[in-house]
C-alpha cells in the first residue's frame, strides 16, 4: 500500500487474504506491535530498527505514518532507487546537528548514524514491492519540493534550517509530470514483478494549507482533479491497472458518514 492515506480495513483485508501489506497510513496512530499483528513480521525489519533499537530516541516517530508518500514523483523514487542502483543515503540531508530523510517523515537531532541505519532499512523494506501480489497506490498532492542540485523530488517541505537553502524550490506538478511518474513506477515494478495487478486511488483528504497562495479550496480542487484525471488515464492506458473510487465515495457521501 503506497500513498498518503489507506484505511485500516484495507490492511485487514490484505492480512486476511494472506497478502504482505506495504503500509502507508496517516489516519491511524498505531504502535508497531499492532502493525506486526497484521503483517508478516520477518519481512518488516524496519519496524525493529525504529521501534526496538531507537524507541527511546524517537518516542513519537515509530508509527506507520512515517511511510506516507504524497506526490507521484516521490512515490516513484521508492522504486527508482532500486532500479538504478542508487545510494539510499542520497536521500539524507545533514545540517547543524539535524539529520533529515527527505523521502519519509523522519528527522532527528544529533544522531546521523541512527538515521543512516534507518534509511538503509527503509530502503530494503521498499524492495518488497518487487515481489508483492498486489500494489495499491494512492495519489495525494501536486504541490512538491525539488532539490535542484541532486535532481530529486522530496516527499515534504524541507524542515527548519533546510527550508532557507536555495537549492530547494517549490513546484506545482502538471498532468504530464504526474502521468509520467505513475507510469514509470508501474513499469519499474513490473520489470521485476511482471503482471502484478495495480489498484490506484486518489486521497480524499483535503489540503489544509497551500504553498501557492490563494484560496486553499481552489488549490485543493485543482490538485484532486488533476490526480483523478491521471488515474483515469493510467487505468485506460496500462493493462491490469484498476481505479478504486475512494475519492468519490468520500466526497459524494454524507459528511457524517465519511
Amino acid at each position: 500500500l503506497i500513498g498518503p492515506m489507506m484505511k485500516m480495513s484495507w490492511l485487514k483485508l490484505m492480512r486476511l487474504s494472506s497478502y504482505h501489506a506495504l503500509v502507508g497510513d496517516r489516519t491511524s496512530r498505531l504502535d508497531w506491535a499492532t502493525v506486526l499483528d497484521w503483517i508478516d513480521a520477518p519481512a518488516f525489519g524496519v519496524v525493529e530498527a525504529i521501534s526496538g533499537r531507537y524507541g527511546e530516541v524517537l518516542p513519537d516517530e515509530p508509527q506507520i505514518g512515517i511511510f506516507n508518500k504524497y506526490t507521484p514523483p516521490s512515490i516513484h523514487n521508492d522504486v527508482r532507487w532500486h532500479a538504478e542502483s542508487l545510494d539510499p543515503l542520497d536521500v539524507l540531508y545533514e545540517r547543524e546537528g539535524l539529520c533529515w530523510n527527505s523521502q519519509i517523515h523522519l528527522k532527528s537531532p544529533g544522531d546521523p548514524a541512527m538515521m543512516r541505519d534507518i534509511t538503509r532499512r527503509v530502503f530494503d523494506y521498499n524492495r518488497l514491492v518487487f515481489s508483492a501480489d498486489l500494489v495499491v497506490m494512492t495519489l495525494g498532492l501536486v504541490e512538491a519540493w525539488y532539490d535542484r542540485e541532486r535532481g530529486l523530488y522530496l516527499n515534504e517541505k524541507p524542515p527548519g534550517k533546510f527550508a532557507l537553502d536555495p537549492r530547494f524550490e517549490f513546484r506545482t506538478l502538471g498532468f504530464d509530470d504526474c502521468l509520467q511518474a505513475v507510469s514509470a513506477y508501474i513499469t519499474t515494478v513490473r520489470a521485476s514483478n511482471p503482471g502484478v495487478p495495480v489498484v490506484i486511488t486518489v486521497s480524499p483528504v483535503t489540503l489544509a494549507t497551500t504553498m501557492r497562495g490563494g484560496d486553499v479550496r481552489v488549490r485543493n480542487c485543482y490538485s484532486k482533479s488533476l490526480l483523478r484525471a491521471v488515474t483515469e488515464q493510467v487505468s485506460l492506458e496500462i493493462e491490469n491497472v484498476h481505479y478504486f473510487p475512494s475519492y468519490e465515495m468520500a466526497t459524494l457521501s454524507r459528511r457524517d458518514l465519511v
Side-chain angles (χ1 to χ4, degrees), residues 54 57-58 89 92-101 106-120 162:
Y54 304 122
V57 180
L58 300 172
L89 299 185
L92 287 180
Y93 296 85
E94 299 179 28
R95 173 174 296 177
E96 299 178 20
L98 181 65
C99 189
W100 165 51
N101 185 316
L106 197 62
K107 51 186 176 289
S108 174
D111 197 345
M114 176 194 68
M115 289 294 292
R116 288 191 287 269
D117 182 34
I118 292 176
T119 296
R120 290 190 184 97
F162 297 101

Side-chain angles (χ1 to χ4, degrees), residues 15 20 32-33 35-48:
R15 178 59 170 169
H20 299 290
W32 287 117
V35 177
L36 288 172
D37 185 49
W38 287 348
I39 62 179
D40 209 7
F44 211 73
V46 70
V47 174
E48 298 175 0

